Structure formats: structure tokens, C-alpha cells
Amino acid sequence: MIKLLTKIGLVAGIAYSALAVVLCGHVVNAQEPAMKEHISVHIVSKQGSEAATTGGGGKVVAGAEASIVREIASAVILPGSAHDDLWVHPNLVTIPGNPIQFELALRSTDRRGGDRHTVFNYFRTDDDFGHLHPIDDPTSPAWELMGLTPEDFRLPTDGSVELPEGEWHWARNAAFIDSSTIVYPFLTRNGNRRSVRTVVSRKQGEKWAPLYVSNALANDAGRGLLEPQIVQQQHRLFMTMRAEDGFGYVSVSADNGRSWSEPQAWRWDNGEKIPMHTTMTKLLSHSDGMLLVYTRIREDNRDVFRSRAPLHCADVDPRTLSLRRPTERVIIPNRGLPVGNFWVWPIDQTRSYVCATEWPRDGRAANGDTWLAKIYWKRPNQRMSPNGHRRVGSEESSKPKGIQWGNPLCTSFVTVYDWNDRRLISDAPALVKLPDGTLLCAVELWSRDGFKGADRLAEELYGQNRCLIFGSTDGGATWQERSRLPFATGKFLLHEGTLYFIGSGIEWQGLYITRSSDGGQTWDDPVLLREGKVYAASTGWVVRDGTLYWAADDMSPSVKDRAVFAFSCDLSRDPLDVASWTFSNDERHPGLPQSFGRGGHNGGKWLEPNVVDVGGKLLVIVRVRTSQGKVDANVPNVAAVCDLENDGNGELKLSFSHYYPFPGGQNQFHIVRDKQAKLFWMTSNQVTGMAEHCYRGWGKERRFLMLHYSRDAQNWFPAGVLAMWRKETQSFNYCTPVIDGTDLLFVSRTSQDATNQHDNDCITFHRLQDFRKTAVDLQPEPTRRKQ
């Protein structure tokens, strides 16, 4: 039921003046830039006559230089003197269109802070709070997701999903995975202790069909975790939660809400925890980052109920889950009354709004004012459309209208590491899972200076240790740097519980190996295994009968178009002993058929070999890069197949066999063996043949990362598009996949906002759950001969 105003219907308007005035009851301190404008509020009766005018305490604050925020304009939009009841807990939603319409709800409550909200008061504005009209029935579809209960869900009849028993309390927000699938947070209660879970559900008629229920997140203090709120940013979900141990908490999901990382307290970017007095926090998501809105304990607000004023915002570092302290701004001032019960809402590409009501908790007769803070972004928020529609999943980029496109197999990822200097590039990242469940990712950095000689830029930024080792103890949701190594490329080897790293030295000089006995925190001095210029990117290898087999490129200046060589290690001996290693001959590039040149001049090279074991026979499958003029890979989807033979006398012989059609053979591919399914799996890039904005031509398009499977590592079946971008200058490539039970994990050299699809600007981590379900059974039934 909706209660209209008891005295008069109210309309609020905002007028901007160039006059500089003293803020009403608000002292500007050093953290809060001086006011630029005065905002006054006009109170008008429902019949349209002006009833009163009051100073709105308005101001405009500039965002920090490093912030995604341009400026914040805040003002009182509804003075407490304009209504008899005490109104709190504002909710603000939009109706997309041109113009965008707004609907506002305020709840009547008792004056002693008992949180008994029995009446909702609704308003609408069609002119961005120029006029605020009371309404009986709100019409925005957004309200429908603000009160779901278990009765709104239809459980599957096969019992595959069960909702937790006990008392439920639903949050008032949802994150859309696609147009019909949501992640919805809720609380379960055990005594007085609450824990947070999420349910992933798909719309079916008037009900929601649960697909997954997440793990429970808990806190041992007071009532546990409360008031969860979820946003999506860069293909991850972030959930912020209230707690009663003196801090607020954040958790991350890399699998669209099926599971969540262990909650960690909000911190400053120096690692210091941020004291918060049992109050809510909320996130705003932007295509360039995130903003946290919060209150915190300060020296000047200890006399405010639970230190719930002023209201702040600050940029979030999504990699470390910390707040960048220089970006903090006060968006609603401290006037002695708490504003800790607030609401956030994205409006369009240019702005998001925060609404809060001052809430007297001492029984006084006077009401608090309702505030609105308009946050304006420096760059357009691509998560929103210009007319206020939210873009979800692949809808964040434009698509032809009227067509329902499918989604890639992986719709979310986690950024392991990123950088702003566009001159930097990384090589193929490496990935390994340790026995204790820790994930390690190697990020090797270089710049184009390395092609000309000494890589002065990489040395200036990172010194000699340019291979950064990151660790994750929460399944890949968050990553922290552990150590650095003097390697340019390489791959992890885990053998009998001991961790090794094998790869090229700095600027690809030599092949080295090192060892760690503490999970990648520290490393032994690298041991040189082979001299010369070696390129050993992370590709597939074989461990068979206690012997490791791998292959790499010889990039010596004397070798035209590169040579490929294989090598092995007797793992029964010490891998750091050079005598444990055997090297094959260098197999020179065999040349390309004239037809690969499409009738014109044709050059090329081969590189980045994978080693596979097919029925006991070792094959080395090599990327083939044809070229014609300035176009690389002008004949894509071809690979070279070589035979690798071990004569049993310590000799390895590598010899070219044939070229073979191979999906994605023009770019790096990575093959892993699935012993359980008796299949090979491969990540590679598919080209469209139509790319016009790719570095070195259409053949190097890398925005579609594909997953394939095979019985013989040569004839491949498509499992699907593993991940994709919309822009030709973006890419997922140079991946390292790892099989983890029923999941396929992989890390990618990713270009999100880099100069081109080759020169990446981040490393991303991905998880494909139940990956074998993307394949059909290739094993034939036994054939019985007729008698």
C-alpha cells in the first residue's frame, strides 16, 4: 500500500545559481573542495503553487585526477520540514527513455530508529528532479527485483537445485548475467547470525528457475554479514557487505555467482583496513572501473550515530580490492545526522546517482533532509546506453537489432595484472595449480625495444626480473604478486611436489631452469641449459615414462625463419643438473608451398611448437605463419607436423613430416591432454577473414578464442567460442590451459584497451566449469563382424 503525504502533496525543484553562499550547516574542510554553485530547492504544493523555498546546502566537488569521476553535484531535494512523517531508506530507480524518468521511494518509520517501515511513499520526476510528483503506483520494472522471496522461485522437479532452509532475508538488488539470468543475494539466519549466499536464476514465465546456489559467506561477529550488494565489472561479480566487527567486506565471483571468494575487509591502497561502524557500503560499476560509496569512522564524526556521516566515495582497485585513497571525496556532508542508509543507481553513460536521507535517531520531532548526489563520469560508461538501459554481458557493445545472439562459453574473467604504459607487452602467461590449491600465474613483460637490442624500457620499469609471479589462494578470484624472475618466457613444471620454472632468459638469451621450495615465494639461481637466442613460450608438453618432452624456437641471427628444436629431461634425476637434459637437432623451416602465397611472393616462419603423445608416438606440432607483403598469416589454419624420435641411446631426432589443416594454426595454440576423457583439448584463435583494423593484417585477428577437442591432436572438433571481444583491436590469445577436475582454467595475454590486438595491456584468468559437457563422445562403439 502506498501512503500519500498527509498534509500536502509536494513537488521539489532544483535551481542553480552562480552565487557563492555559505553552505547550510556544512563546514567545508580540507578534503572537500570549495563550492562552485548554490542549489536551492523550491517546495510546491500538489496544485502547483509554491509553498516554501529553502537553502539546499548544495555544492559541486571535482573528482581526483586519477579518478574515473569528473565531478559530483549534491543538494537537498526534499527537506524534512516538508512532510510530517519521518522518511528514511530512499530507493531510486529509472525508466529508460528520452527523457529518462525517475521514481523515488521513501519509507515512513518510527522516530526511535526501530527500523519499522510500514508505509512507502512514491514519487516520479520526468525532468531530472526539476519537479517531483507523488504517485500511487510506481511503474518501473526495476521494482520487481527489489523484494523477491522463495515463493518467486520455481524449483526444478529433479531436485538438482535446493534452496537453503530456514529464515530468509532478501537483498534489494540483482546483477544480470544476460537478459534473462540474474544473480540475486540473500541472507540465511541461524539464531541471530546471518550469512550471505547468492542464487543464479533464469526467468521462466512469472517465476525464476534457480540454476545454482552459491557457497555461504559468514562473519563471526554480531549478526554476521548483512546488506549484500552485487555489481558486475570486467566480467567479474563484486559483492560488498556490511559486518559488525568494525569493517566492511568485499567478495569476488569469477564464475557468475556460483561461488564466491573468502570475504576480505575493505582497505586503503596501502593495505590499511578502513574502520567502518556496522553500516552498508555500495558499489557503482563503470566500464573503466568501480566506485565504492560508504561511511567510515573519522575523528570528526564520532558523535554521529555509528559514524554514518559524511558519505564518501572512492575508486576501487579491482585487482587488490582496495580503495585508492587520493580519490576519496565527500559526496554528502556531515550535518550531525547519519546518512548511512543510502541508495545508488546508474542513470546513463554520463552519470550515476546516490540518494540518502538524514535520519534522526534520538526521537526528535524534526525530520532529516533527503539528499541527491549526482556523480558525473570522466568518460562514457559503456555499461549503460545513452537512454538509460543497462548493457549486460556481450550487450555492452552494439549488435544488430532483432537478432538473439549466443554467448561465449566463458562470459567472465579476472584481471591478474594490468598496466597503463602502452609500450609494454607480455608474452604467453603460464599457469599451474599447486597441491594446496594455490594457483600461480607467470607474467613476462617486455617492450618493442627488445627487438632492437637491449630492452631499456622493461629494464627501467622492472630491472632484470621481468617475469612477475602472481598467486591466488581463492580459486583465481584475486591475485597478489609473490616474486619475480629473470625470464622472458617460460612455463611451470610441478614434479613430485617440487615447483620448477623453465624458459628463456632475459631478452630470450639462453634456456634456463629454476626451482622453488616454498610455492613460488623464493627461487634458486637459474641454471643455464642451452646457450643462444631461444624462444620458449608456454605451449604443450608431454611427460611420459618419467621423461619430460618439450620444444622451442632457435632465434639465432644465423637461422632464417627460425628453427625448431626439441629437448627432454630425465625426471628421475635432478632437473637442475644439466646432464639430465637431452637436445635434438635444429629442424630448419622447410619452406612453404607456392599455393600458400596465393600466387604471389610468399615468406613466413614457424614457431611456438607443442609436443603431443598420440598412441605412443611423439609429434611436434608447430604454428605456421605465412606472409604476403604486410599481411601475416594470409593462409590461416595450417600447422606443421614433425616426428620426434628417441632412439634409446640418448639421442633425440626431430624431422618435418607434413603440413596439415589446423584450426588457428596461424597464431599461437596450446594443446593439453585429458587423460580422463582420452582427448586432447586446444585453445587457439579463429579469424573471420574480414578484419580491417588488425596489426599486420586480417590473418592476425585474435578476438575470438576457440576451444577444440580431438582424439589424435590433428583432426579437431569445435567445442565453441571460449571467449571473445567485439573490437578488432582487442584479443584473448597466447593462452595456457590447465585441467582442474571438471573445470578448464586458462590465462590469456589479453588486449582490452591496448594499441592493437597484439600488444596487450593485461593478463586475464578464466574458468570454464564442466568443460567436458561442450564435447560429444568421439569414441566409437565396438564393431562386431558378422559370423
Side-chain angles (χ1 to χ4, degrees), residues 97-259:
N98 187 15
I100 298 172
Q101 296 176 318
F102 302 80
E103 290 183 343
L104 173 68
L106 292 156
R107 304 182 222 178
S108 296
T109 191
D110 64 280
R111 295 192 176 275
R112 300 302 302 184
D115 277 14
R116 291 187 290 273
H117 316 300
T118 57
V119 177
F120 282 70
N121 308 278
Y122 290 97
F123 300 87
R124 176 181 293 162
T125 173
D126 301 332
D127 56 2
D128 196 11
F129 292 90
H131 298 84
L132 196 60
H133 305 275
I135 57 175
D136 292 329
D137 297 306
T139 59
S140 172
W143 297 112
E144 297 176 6
L145 292 176
M146 290 191 187
L148 297 183
T149 68
E151 287 70 34
D152 293 301
F153 293 83
R154 179 186 292 116
L155 289 172
T157 57
D158 61 3
S160 58
V161 178
E162 295 183 0
L163 297 179
E165 296 180 355
E167 180 181 346
W168 286 35
H169 177 74
W170 288 91
R172 296 176 64 80
N173 67 92
F176 275 87
I177 301 305
D178 55 44
S179 59
S180 61
T181 306
I182 61 171
V183 180
Y184 206 87
F186 63 96
L187 305 181
T188 53
R189 180 172 177 174
N190 183 8
N192 194 42
R193 187 70 46 78
R194 278 84 164 174
S195 59
V196 174
R197 296 184 185 225
T198 58
V199 56
V200 182
S201 302
R202 182 169 293 134
K203 190 73 170 180
Q204 289 187 355
E206 297 299 318
K207 297 280 189 176
W208 291 93
L211 305 177
Y212 306 96
V213 176
S214 77
N215 57 309
L217 305 180
N219 185 287
D220 293 334
R223 291 178 293 170
L225 294 175
L226 307 162
E227 299 174 351
Q229 183 238 3
I230 301 175
V231 299
Q232 187 180 49
Q233 207 273 333
Q234 282 196 358
H235 303 280
R236 280 195 294 174
L237 295 177
F238 294 80
M239 179 160 56
T240 184
M241 295 160 285
R242 168 183 171 181
E244 299 195 331
D245 62 353
F247 303 100
Y249 283 82
V250 59
S251 178
V252 182
S253 175
D255 55 9
N256 287 333
R258 299 184 189 184
S259 62

Side-chain angles (χ1 to χ4, degrees), residues 240-391:
T240 184
M241 295 160 285
R242 168 183 171 181
E244 299 195 331
D245 62 353
F247 303 100
Y249 283 82
V250 59
S251 178
V252 182
S253 175
D255 55 9
N256 287 333
R258 299 184 189 184
S259 62
W260 292 88
S261 64
E262 186 69 20
Q264 69 177 62
W266 282 110
R267 302 171 183 266
W268 296 119
D269 45 12
N270 65 359
E272 175 190 354
K273 289 184 180 180
I274 304 173
M276 297 179 179
H277 197 321
T278 180
T279 189
M280 67 171 60
T281 55
K282 292 189 183 297
L283 287 161
L284 282 167
S285 179
H286 186 282
S287 50
D288 290 341
M290 286 187 300
L291 205 67
L292 185 73
V293 182
Y294 57 97
T295 59
R296 63 177 177 86
I297 299 174
R298 301 166 32 142
E299 290 299 325
D300 59 355
N301 69 355
R302 296 182 184 273
D303 58 338
V304 180
F305 177 79
R306 292 180 177 173
S307 298
R308 290 184 177 178
L311 191 63
H312 312 77
C313 72
D315 289 49
V316 177
D317 184 335
R319 188 169 55 86
T320 61
L321 301 181
S322 62
L323 300 188
R324 299 182 174 111
R325 190 158 195 168
T327 68
E328 182 182 73
R329 291 293 184 267
V330 169
I331 60 176
I332 295 178
N334 177 7
R335 304 201 302 180
L337 295 176
V339 289
N341 296 93
F342 58 91
W343 189 256
V344 300
W345 197 258
I347 306 303
D348 56 20
Q349 290 188 337
T350 64
R351 62 205 157 126
S352 293
Y353 286 0
V354 179
C355 192
T357 298
E358 295 170 326
W359 187 349
R361 312 287 290 225
D362 53 8
R364 71 178 69 179
N367 299 323
D369 296 338
T370 299
W371 284 77
L372 183 70
K374 300 181 178 182
I375 298 175
Y376 294 93
W377 307 113
K378 285 181 178 175
R379 299 206 306 176
N381 183 4
Q382 300 302 329
R383 298 190 60 81
M384 301 292 295
S385 72
N387 61 0
H389 287 283
R390 297 197 192 196
R391 293 170 173 167

